[in-house]
Coordinates of all heavy atoms in Angstrom, one line a residue:
S1436 N -43.1 161.9 12.5 CA -43.1 161.9 11.1 C -44.0 160.8 10.6 O -44.8 161.0 9.6 CB -41.7 161.6 10.6 OG -41.7 161.4 9.2
T1437 N -44.0 159.6 11.2 CA -44.9 158.5 10.8 C -46.3 158.9 11.1 O -47.2 158.5 10.3 CB -44.5 157.2 11.6 OG1 -43.1 157.0 11.4 CG2 -45.3 156.1 11.1
A1438 N -46.6 159.5 12.2 CA -48.0 159.9 12.6 C -48.6 160.8 11.5 O -49.7 160.7 11.1 CB -48.1 160.5 14.0
I1439 N -47.7 161.7 11.1 CA -48.2 162.7 10.0 C -48.5 161.9 8.7 O -49.5 162.1 8.1 CB -47.1 163.7 9.7 CG1 -46.9 164.7 10.9 CG2 -47.4 164.5 8.4 CD1 -45.8 165.6 10.8
G1440 N -47.7 160.9 8.4 CA -47.9 160.1 7.2 C -49.2 159.3 7.3 O -50.0 159.3 6.4
I1441 N -49.5 158.7 8.5 CA -50.7 157.9 8.7 C -51.9 158.8 8.7 O -52.9 158.5 8.1 CB -50.6 157.2 10.1 CG1 -49.5 156.2 10.1 CG2 -52.0 156.5 10.4 CD1 -49.6 155.1 9.1
A1442 N -51.8 160.0 9.3 CA -53.0 161.0 9.3 C -53.3 161.4 7.9 O -54.5 161.5 7.5 CB -52.7 162.2 10.2
V1443 N -52.3 161.7 7.1 CA -52.5 162.1 5.7 C -53.1 161.0 4.9 O -54.0 161.2 4.1 CB -51.2 162.7 5.1 CG1 -51.4 162.9 3.6 CG2 -50.8 163.9 5.8
A1444 N -52.6 159.8 5.2 CA -53.1 158.6 4.4 C -54.6 158.3 4.7 O -55.3 158.1 3.8 CB -52.2 157.4 4.8
I1445 N -55.0 158.4 6.0 CA -56.3 158.2 6.4 C -57.2 159.2 5.7 O -58.3 158.9 5.1 CB -56.5 158.2 7.9 CG1 -55.8 157.0 8.5 CG2 -58.0 158.3 8.3 CD1 -55.8 157.0 10.0
T1446 N -56.8 160.5 5.8 CA -57.6 161.6 5.2 C -57.8 161.4 3.7 O -58.9 161.6 3.2 CB -57.0 162.9 5.6 OG1 -56.8 163.0 7.0 CG2 -57.9 164.1 5.1
A1447 N -56.7 161.2 3.1 CA -56.7 161.0 1.6 C -57.6 159.9 1.2 O -58.4 160.0 0.2 CB -55.3 160.8 1.0
T1448 N -57.5 158.7 1.9 CA -58.3 157.6 1.6 C -59.8 157.9 1.7 O -60.6 157.5 0.9 CB -57.9 156.4 2.4 OG1 -56.5 156.1 2.2 CG2 -58.7 155.1 2.1
L1449 N -60.1 158.5 2.8 CA -61.6 158.8 3.1 C -62.1 159.9 2.1 O -63.2 159.8 1.7 CB -61.7 159.3 4.5 CG -61.5 158.3 5.6 CD1 -61.6 158.9 7.0 CD2 -62.5 157.1 5.5
L1450 N -61.2 160.8 1.7 CA -61.7 161.8 0.7 C -61.9 161.2 -0.7 O -62.8 161.5 -1.4 CB -60.6 162.9 0.6 CG -60.6 163.9 1.8 CD1 -59.4 164.9 1.6 CD2 -61.9 164.7 1.9
V1451 N -61.0 160.2 -1.0 CA -61.1 159.6 -2.4 C -62.2 158.6 -2.4 O -63.0 158.5 -3.4 CB -59.8 159.0 -2.8 CG1 -59.9 158.2 -4.1 CG2 -58.7 160.1 -2.9
F1452 N -62.3 157.7 -1.4 CA -63.2 156.6 -1.4 C -64.4 156.7 -0.5 O -65.4 156.0 -0.7 CB -62.5 155.3 -1.0 CG -61.4 154.9 -2.0 CD1 -60.1 155.3 -1.7 CD2 -61.6 154.2 -3.1 CE1 -59.0 155.0 -2.6 CE2 -60.6 153.9 -4.0 CZ -59.3 154.3 -3.7
G1453 N -64.4 157.7 0.4 CA -65.6 157.8 1.3 C -65.6 156.9 2.5 O -66.4 157.1 3.4
Q1454 N -64.8 155.8 2.5 CA -64.8 154.8 3.5 C -63.5 154.0 3.4 O -62.8 154.2 2.4 CB -66.0 153.9 3.5 CG -66.1 153.1 2.2 CD -67.4 152.3 2.1 OE1 -68.2 152.3 2.9 NE2 -67.5 151.6 1.0
M1455 N -63.3 153.2 4.4 CA -62.1 152.4 4.4 C -62.5 150.9 4.6 O -63.3 150.6 5.4 CB -61.1 152.8 5.6 CG -60.4 154.1 5.3 SD -59.4 154.6 6.8 CE -58.2 153.2 6.8
H1456 N -61.8 150.1 3.8 CA -62.1 148.6 4.0 C -61.3 148.1 5.2 O -60.3 148.7 5.6 CB -61.6 147.9 2.7 CG -62.5 148.1 1.5 ND1 -63.9 147.9 1.6 CD2 -62.3 148.5 0.3 CE1 -64.4 148.1 0.5 NE2 -63.5 148.5 -0.4
L1457 N -61.6 146.9 5.6 CA -60.9 146.3 6.7 C -59.5 146.0 6.3 O -58.5 146.2 7.1 CB -61.6 145.0 7.1 CG -62.9 145.1 7.8 CD1 -63.5 143.7 8.0 CD2 -62.8 145.8 9.1
L1458 N -59.3 145.5 5.1 CA -57.9 145.3 4.6 C -57.0 146.5 4.7 O -55.9 146.5 5.1 CB -57.9 144.7 3.2 CG -58.3 143.3 3.0 CD1 -58.4 143.0 1.5 CD2 -57.4 142.3 3.6
T1459 N -57.6 147.7 4.3 CA -56.8 148.9 4.3 C -56.5 149.3 5.8 O -55.4 149.8 6.1 CB -57.7 150.0 3.7 OG1 -58.1 149.6 2.4 CG2 -56.8 151.3 3.5
L1460 N -57.5 149.1 6.7 CA -57.3 149.4 8.1 C -56.1 148.7 8.7 O -55.2 149.2 9.3 CB -58.5 149.1 8.9 CG -58.5 149.5 10.4 CD1 -58.4 150.9 10.6 CD2 -59.8 148.9 11.0
V1461 N -56.1 147.3 8.4 CA -55.0 146.5 9.0 C -53.7 146.8 8.3 O -52.6 146.9 8.9 CB -55.3 145.0 8.8 CG1 -54.2 144.2 9.4 CG2 -56.6 144.7 9.6
F1462 N -53.7 147.0 7.0 CA -52.5 147.4 6.2 C -52.0 148.7 6.7 O -50.7 148.9 6.7 CB -52.9 147.4 4.7 CG -51.7 147.8 3.8 CD1 -50.8 146.9 3.5 CD2 -51.6 149.1 3.4 CE1 -49.7 147.2 2.7 CE2 -50.5 149.4 2.5 CZ -49.6 148.5 2.2
G1463 N -52.8 149.6 7.0 CA -52.4 150.9 7.5 C -51.6 150.8 8.8 O -50.6 151.5 9.0
A1464 N -52.0 149.9 9.7 CA -51.2 149.7 10.9 C -49.8 149.1 10.6 O -48.8 149.5 11.2 CB -51.9 148.7 11.8
A1465 N -49.7 148.4 9.5 CA -48.4 147.8 9.1 C -47.5 148.8 8.4 O -46.3 148.7 8.3 CB -48.6 146.6 8.2
L1466 N -48.1 149.9 7.8 CA -47.4 150.9 7.0 C -46.4 151.6 7.9 O -45.4 152.2 7.5 CB -48.3 151.9 6.4 CG -47.7 152.9 5.4 CD1 -47.1 152.2 4.2 CD2 -48.8 153.9 5.0
L1467 N -46.6 151.6 9.2 CA -45.8 152.2 10.2 C -44.3 151.9 10.0 O -43.4 152.7 10.0 CB -46.2 151.8 11.6 CG -45.4 152.3 12.8 CD1 -45.7 153.8 13.0 CD2 -45.7 151.6 14.1
G1468 N -44.0 150.6 9.7 CA -42.6 150.2 9.5 C -41.9 150.7 8.3 O -40.7 150.9 8.3
E1469 N -42.7 151.1 7.2 CA -42.1 151.6 6.0 C -42.0 153.2 6.1 O -41.0 153.8 5.7 CB -42.8 151.2 4.8 CG -42.1 151.6 3.5 CD -42.8 151.0 2.3 OE1 -43.8 150.4 2.4 OE2 -42.2 151.3 1.2
A1470 N -43.1 153.8 6.7 CA -43.1 155.2 6.7 C -42.0 155.8 7.6 O -41.6 156.9 7.4 CB -44.5 155.7 7.2
V1471 N -41.6 155.0 8.6 CA -40.6 155.5 9.5 C -39.2 155.4 8.9 O -38.2 156.0 9.4 CB -40.6 154.6 10.8 CG1 -39.9 153.3 10.6 CG2 -40.0 155.3 12.0
D1472 N -39.0 154.8 7.7 CA -37.7 154.6 7.1 C -37.1 156.0 6.8 O -35.9 156.2 7.0 CB -37.8 153.9 5.8 CG -37.8 152.4 6.0 OD1 -37.7 152.0 7.2 OD2 -38.0 151.6 5.1
Y1473 N -37.9 157.0 6.3 CA -37.3 158.2 5.9 C -36.8 159.0 7.0 O -35.7 159.6 7.0 CB -38.4 159.0 5.1 CG -39.0 158.3 3.9 CD1 -40.4 158.2 3.8 CD2 -38.2 157.8 3.0 CE1 -40.9 157.5 2.7 CE2 -38.7 157.1 1.9 CZ -40.1 157.0 1.7 OH -40.6 156.3 0.7
S1474 N -37.5 159.0 8.1 CA -37.0 159.8 9.3 C -35.8 159.0 9.9 O -34.9 159.7 10.4 CB -38.1 159.9 10.3 OG -38.7 158.7 10.7
I1475 N -35.8 157.7 9.8 CA -34.7 156.9 10.3 C -33.4 157.3 9.6 O -32.3 157.4 10.2 CB -35.0 155.4 10.3 CG1 -35.9 155.0 11.4 CG2 -33.7 154.6 10.4 CD1 -36.3 153.5 11.4
Q1476 N -33.5 157.4 8.3 CA -32.3 157.7 7.5 C -31.7 159.1 7.8 O -30.5 159.3 7.9 CB -32.6 157.5 6.0 CG -32.9 156.1 5.6 CD -31.8 155.1 5.9 OE1 -30.6 155.3 5.7 NE2 -32.2 154.0 6.6
Y1477 N -32.7 160.0 8.0 CA -32.2 161.4 8.4 C -31.6 161.4 9.8 O -30.6 162.0 10.0 CB -33.4 162.3 8.3 CG -33.0 163.8 8.5 CD1 -32.2 164.4 7.6 CD2 -33.5 164.5 9.6 CE1 -31.9 165.7 7.7 CE2 -33.2 165.8 9.7 CZ -32.4 166.5 8.8 OH -32.0 167.8 9.0
L1478 N -32.2 160.6 10.7 CA -31.7 160.5 12.1 C -30.3 159.8 12.1 O -29.4 160.2 12.8 CB -32.7 159.7 13.0 CG -34.0 160.5 13.3 CD1 -35.0 159.5 13.9 CD2 -33.7 161.7 14.2
C1479 N -30.1 158.8 11.2 CA -28.8 158.1 11.1 C -27.8 159.1 10.5 O -26.6 159.1 11.0 CB -29.0 156.9 10.2 SG -29.8 155.5 11.0
A1480 N -28.2 159.9 9.5 CA -27.2 160.9 9.0 C -26.8 161.8 10.1 O -25.6 162.2 10.2 CB -27.9 161.6 7.8
R1481 N -27.7 162.3 10.9 CA -27.4 163.2 12.1 C -26.5 162.5 13.1 O -25.5 163.1 13.5 CB -28.7 163.6 12.7 CG -28.5 164.5 14.0 CD -29.8 164.6 14.7 NE -29.7 165.5 15.9 CZ -30.4 165.3 17.0 NH1 -31.2 164.2 17.1 NH2 -30.3 166.1 18.0
A1482 N -26.8 161.2 13.4 CA -25.9 160.5 14.4 C -24.5 160.3 13.8 O -23.6 160.4 14.6 CB -26.6 159.2 14.7
N1483 N -24.4 160.0 12.5 CA -23.1 159.7 11.9 C -22.3 161.0 11.7 O -21.0 160.9 11.6 CB -23.3 159.0 10.6 CG -23.8 157.6 10.8 OD1 -23.6 157.0 11.8 ND2 -24.5 157.1 9.7
A1484 N -23.0 162.2 11.7 CA -22.2 163.4 11.5 C -21.5 163.9 12.7 O -20.5 164.6 12.6 CB -23.2 164.5 11.0
G1485 N -22.0 163.5 13.9 CA -21.3 163.8 15.1 C -21.4 165.3 15.4 O -22.4 166.0 15.0
P1486 N -20.3 166.0 15.9 CA -20.4 167.4 16.3 C -20.5 168.3 15.0 O -20.8 169.5 15.1 CB -19.0 167.6 17.0 CG -18.6 166.2 17.5 CD -19.1 165.3 16.4
A1487 N -20.1 167.7 13.8 CA -20.2 168.6 12.6 C -21.6 168.7 12.0 O -21.7 169.2 10.9 CB -19.2 168.0 11.6
W1488 N -22.6 168.2 12.7 CA -24.0 168.2 12.2 C -24.5 169.5 11.8 O -24.4 170.5 12.6 CB -24.9 167.5 13.2 CG -26.4 167.7 12.9 CD1 -27.3 168.5 13.5 CD2 -27.1 167.1 11.8 NE1 -28.5 168.4 12.9 CE2 -28.4 167.5 11.9 CE3 -26.7 166.2 10.8 CZ2 -29.4 167.1 11.0 CZ3 -27.7 165.7 9.9 CH2 -29.0 166.2 10.0

Side-chain angles (χ1 to χ4, degrees):
S1436 174
T1437 304
I1439 292 173
I1441 297 294
V1443 171
I1445 291 174
T1446 305
T1448 302
L1449 291 176
L1450 287 174
V1451 173
F1452 296 96
Q1454 60 185 1
M1455 289 177 61
H1456 287 308
L1457 289 175
L1458 284 174
T1459 309
L1460 182 65
V1461 180
F1462 179 79
L1466 187 65
L1467 179 70
E1469 189 177 1
V1471 77
D1472 278 355
Y1473 302 128
S1474 54
I1475 283 178
Q1476 295 305 310
Y1477 188 62
L1478 291 168
C1479 286
R1481 178 192 180 214
N1483 293 332
W1488 168 250

